[in-house]
């Protein structure tokens, strides 16, 4: 059975992607900041929920990915979907919010990818899909 790790699976594209892969018979590692709050995906066959906050340290993210691999044995596909959207004029933006967006949408993607690549390299294969959107980018 193929395995997909999806970040940001608590809502939107991540949730829909998790459901789609599960219906196709894939083993799904649906990650989110607060899996204890998730009730819908927890009931879907082939989906396992894991706590993963992409803004944690590189070491914390790596430990979480390692734990998923220990549990599910491999990762065939990584879907980097976690992200936050920010709206408004750039000149009126709160700098802390801009930092949070970069921390999540850019550095978070890099942390999870960096933690997953050694596992894919060891198994000799893997696919990485990076999801983005117009609202996940900089201020409009």
């Amino acid at each position: 059975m193929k395995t997909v790790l999806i970040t940001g699976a608590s809502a939107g594209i991540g949730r829909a992607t998790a459901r789609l892969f599960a219906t196709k018979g894939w083993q799904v590692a649906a990650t989110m900041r607060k899996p204890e709050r998730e009730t819908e995906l927890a009931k879907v066959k082939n989906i396992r929920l894991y706590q993963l906050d992409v803004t944690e340290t590189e070491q914390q993210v790596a430990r979480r990915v390692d734990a998923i691999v220990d549990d599910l044995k491999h990762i065939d596909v990584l879907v980097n979907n976690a992200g936050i959207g920010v709206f408004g004029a750039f000149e009126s933006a709160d700098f802390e919010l801009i930092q949070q967006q970069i921390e999540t949408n850019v550095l978070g993607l890099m942390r999870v990818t960096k933690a997953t690549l050694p596992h894919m390299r060891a198994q000799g294969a893997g696919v990485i899909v990076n999801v983005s959107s117009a609202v996940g980018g900089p201020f409009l």
Side-chain angles (χ1 to χ4, degrees):
M1 178 181 293
K2 296 241 182 204
T3 302
V4 59
L5 186 161
I6 303 169
T7 65
S10 62
I13 294 169
R15 176 186 294 275
T17 303
R19 289 176 140 303
L20 176 67
F21 274 96
T23 62
K24 301 293 183 184
W26 284 58
Q27 186 169 235
V28 178
T31 71
M32 57 200 69
R33 286 177 294 177
K34 301 197 184 295
E36 67 277 3
R37 293 184 183 174
E38 180 56 53
T39 56
E40 181 186 331
L41 290 180
K43 297 175 187 171
V44 178
K45 182 183 174 193
N46 297 338
I47 295 180
R48 293 190 196 181
L49 305 180
Y50 295 92
Q51 195 282 327
L52 175 64
D53 182 341
V54 301
T55 66
E56 291 179 324
T57 69
E58 185 179 332
Q59 294 78 20
Q60 289 170 308
V61 170
R63 281 195 297 273
R64 301 228 188 251
V65 170
D66 290 348
I68 292 168
V69 172
D70 285 346
D71 191 25
L72 301 178
K73 308 304 177 215
H74 61 280
I75 297 172
D76 298 292
V77 175
L78 165 62
V79 178
N80 279 309
N81 171 72
I84 60 169
V86 179
F87 303 92
F90 174 72
E91 65 269 16
S92 64
D94 175 53
F95 197 77
E96 287 180 17
L97 189 55
I98 294 170
Q99 285 179 308
Q100 182 184 6
Q101 185 180 34
I102 292 168
E103 191 67 39
T104 302
N105 297 8
V106 178
L107 300 177
L109 175 147
M110 292 173 150
R111 284 184 196 98
V112 178
T113 300
K114 188 173 181 183
T116 306
L117 279 172
H119 298 287
M120 290 180 167
R121 192 172 321 283
Q123 67 197 27
V127 173
I128 299 172
V129 178
N130 297 319
V131 178
S132 182
S133 74
V135 295
F139 288 81
L140 304 173

